[in-house]
Amino acid sequence: MSTNKEFDIVIYGATGFTGRLVAEYLVKQYSGDSSLKWAMAGRSTAKLTQVRDEIKAPKNTPLIIADAQDSSSIQAMLNRTKLVLTTVGPYQVYGSDLVAMCAKSGVDYVDLCGEPVWMSEMIPAHEKTAQLSGARIVFSCGFDSIPSDMGVYHLQNLAKQQFGKVMPTIRCRVRKMKGTFSGGTAASFKETLIAAKKDPIKMKALLNPFSLSPGFTGAEQPYGNKPFYEADLGSWVTPFVMAVINTRNVQRSNFLLNKAYGEDFVYDEMFMTGPGEKGEAIANAMADDKSMSGDDGPKPGEGPSKEERESGFYDLLYIGSDAQGNEIRVSVKGDRDPGYGSTSKMIAETAICLVKDAADTKGGIWTTAPSMGDKLIQRLQENAGLTFTQE
């Protein structure tokens, strides 16, 4: 990992909807910080210049031409930066070469990936290379899967303080959420399903809760694929579309933390829809909703208005319990819509945390909790509008 680089961070895909939001966040949050050196990268100088001016970035903000179809332009970009923050997805379509080149070049990498099958292929392909070069590759640095990964990590730390041990079972329950999933998330979801239907090995990886923890299989995990009534919460719960990626990342964190949550750690995620017949009806309707895999959702590069992003929010409850009846509850809340407003702030802070605060983290393919831990929670709470609160 080279320190003599021109930039700390390059935003690759800065002219796309989410990449632009990341750049806009850095302009607002770090405009007076001369210690953070960053650049915008994309395929078109004209588009980069237009976005730079529209988000009121300084005129001297560096612009880099980089195209996934031209590996020499990608390598030239990597030669200038410590870290690449990429919003160019679906990653299984556009990300494989970039991960390989970062791993080989010793350049840190963060993305917004929600594609567990692709990630399960990247880990064995590039982890050893990244370990040798010092590159820290961190997938899933947005709404999938930071609230879950850091929420579980935070809860387990509190459990150790209060009970002297971790909780063997944690449930995530989405209490409230306002906002849309990103077009990139929808596209990634569709690409993952298409790939899995064509290839039995990919389908097996998609269904395996330990697909990102090679060589480890823990306890049987809940399927989370049908609505049911949860008496202790007084609410119906229904499948949560992000659970497939979030649960895999949380299990990988446990794996990378040397099974700190336990060899038999059990984790699942569901969406709360309320009590009674109304709650049941909403739960069933949500379970039957196929809009994520349909053609009516947002397309990559599209997204909600500024007003919609700023009026969005989410409230996730994490409930840890053990066989002795001990229980601990933590909420993770975000102050913007999950798919865009909050995600763009989270990935920006993750990138800064990795290059500025996590010098001790060695090369390899990581999740957020074991690579940055409490340092990232602090940044998210101070800057990105997230709260981690024991209830």
Side-chain angles (χ1 to χ4, degrees):
M1 189 176 61
S2 171
T3 49
N4 300 320
K5 293 288 187 86
E6 201 176 337
F7 306 117
D8 298 308
I9 295 166
V10 168
I11 303 166
Y12 177 54
T15 57
F17 195 91
T18 308
R20 175 194 176 117
L21 290 176
V22 175
E24 192 171 21
Y25 173 77
L26 291 183
V27 170
K28 283 182 181 168
Q29 195 74 15
Y30 292 95
S31 58
D33 187 348
S34 59
S35 72
L36 183 69
K37 296 176 172 61
W38 61 279
M40 298 163 60
R43 288 179 297 180
S44 159
T45 306
K47 282 186 181 173
L48 284 167
T49 304
Q50 182 184 347
V51 170
R52 179 198 67 195
D53 294 344
E54 286 174 356
I55 66 172
K56 297 182 172 56
K59 293 287 185 191
N60 62 352
T61 301
L63 307 178
I64 299 172
I65 300 305
D67 187 339
Q69 306 302 317
D70 176 9
S71 60
S72 63
S73 72
I74 299 294
Q75 188 60 55
M77 172 178 75
L78 299 187
N79 293 344
R80 299 174 70 185
T81 188
K82 294 178 187 174
L83 178 145
V84 172
L85 182 165
T86 174
T87 59
V88 183
Y91 296 96
Q92 59 202 292
V93 179
Y94 301 110
S96 299
D97 290 345
L98 182 59
V99 170
M101 292 170 79
C102 283
K104 193 175 177 184
S105 303
V107 174
D108 295 343
Y109 166 106
V110 296
D111 71 14
L112 297 170
C113 188
E115 304 163 45
V117 176
W118 177 74
M119 290 158 61
S120 74
E121 295 165 350
M122 291 296 102
I123 292 165
H126 303 299
E127 184 151 47
K128 282 193 172 61
T129 307
Q131 286 168 346
L132 288 169
S133 73
R136 288 91 56 86
I137 312 282
V138 189
F139 300 127
S140 310
C141 299
F143 185 62
D144 43 349
S145 296
I146 281 180
S148 296
D149 195 29
M150 303 313 298
V152 168
Y153 172 82
H154 187 60
L155 186 150
Q156 295 290 36
N157 283 344
L158 290 172
K160 281 186 279 189
Q161 290 169 24
Q162 289 171 35
F163 301 109
K165 58 174 190 168
V166 295
M167 293 288 112
T169 301
I170 296 181
R171 293 173 285 160
C172 168
R173 297 297 179 257
V174 184
R175 287 193 287 207
K176 291 177 186 169
M177 194 166 78
K178 182 185 177 190
T180 55
F181 294 108
S182 73
T185 296
S188 298
F189 186 78
K190 281 189 267 194
E191 289 287 345
T192 297
L193 289 180
I194 290 165
K197 283 174 183 172
K198 287 181 185 171
D199 185 341
I201 294 171
K202 285 185 164 78
M203 182 60 81
K204 189 179 176 186
L206 183 63
L207 298 175
N208 176 12
F210 301 99
S211 60
L212 304 183
S213 310
F216 175 70
T217 301
E220 190 171 338
Q221 303 293 312
Y223 282 112
N225 59 347
K226 288 178 183 166
F228 61 91
Y229 183 73
E230 209 152 36
D232 68 323
L233 298 177
S235 176
W236 281 84
V237 296
T238 197
F240 178 46
V241 72
M242 312 305 289
V244 171
I245 181 62
N246 292 341
T247 54
R248 273 69 175 163
N249 275 320
V250 168
Q251 291 293 352
R252 178 162 175 80
S253 285
N254 185 36
F255 172 74
L256 292 172
L257 291 163
N258 297 315
K259 328 287 191 331
Y261 307 161
E263 294 267 353
D264 296 327
F265 175 63
V266 174
Y267 178 69
D268 77 309
E269 299 190 344
M270 302 289 283
F271 199 109
M272 294 172 67
T273 59
E277 291 180 4
K278 185 181 178 186
E280 184 179 9
I282 296 169
N284 287 324
M286 286 179 69
D288 292 336
D289 180 21
K290 301 289 186 284
S291 58
M292 272 284 279
S293 54
D295 296 324
D296 298 332
K299 305 288 185 287
E302 297 176 356
S305 67
K306 186 170 186 282
E307 291 73 26
E308 287 171 321
R309 294 195 304 272
E310 291 184 355
S311 67
F313 60 87
Y314 51 90
D315 174 1
L316 313 179
L317 176 66
Y318 295 85
I319 308 148
S321 57
D322 65 14
Q324 290 73 46
N326 295 312
E327 187 178 275
I328 186 166
R329 295 187 177 200
V330 166
S331 70
V332 178
K333 297 178 182 178
D335 69 345
R336 294 286 185 272
D337 79 295
Y340 297 93
S342 188
T343 279
S344 57
K345 295 195 289 185
M346 282 190 272
I347 191 172
E349 289 299 336
T350 303
I352 296 166
C353 187
L354 195 59
V355 292
K356 296 283 190 186
D357 308 333
D360 293 344
T361 300
K362 293 180 168 61
I365 298 185
W366 293 94
T367 46
T368 50
S371 60
M372 286 163 274
D374 291 324
K375 299 181 190 111
L376 182 56
I377 289 177
Q378 185 177 341
R379 277 196 172 273
L380 295 171
Q381 295 204 119
E382 287 177 357
N383 303 320
L386 272 72
T387 57
F388 295 76
T389 311
Q390 184 174 353
E391 297 195 347

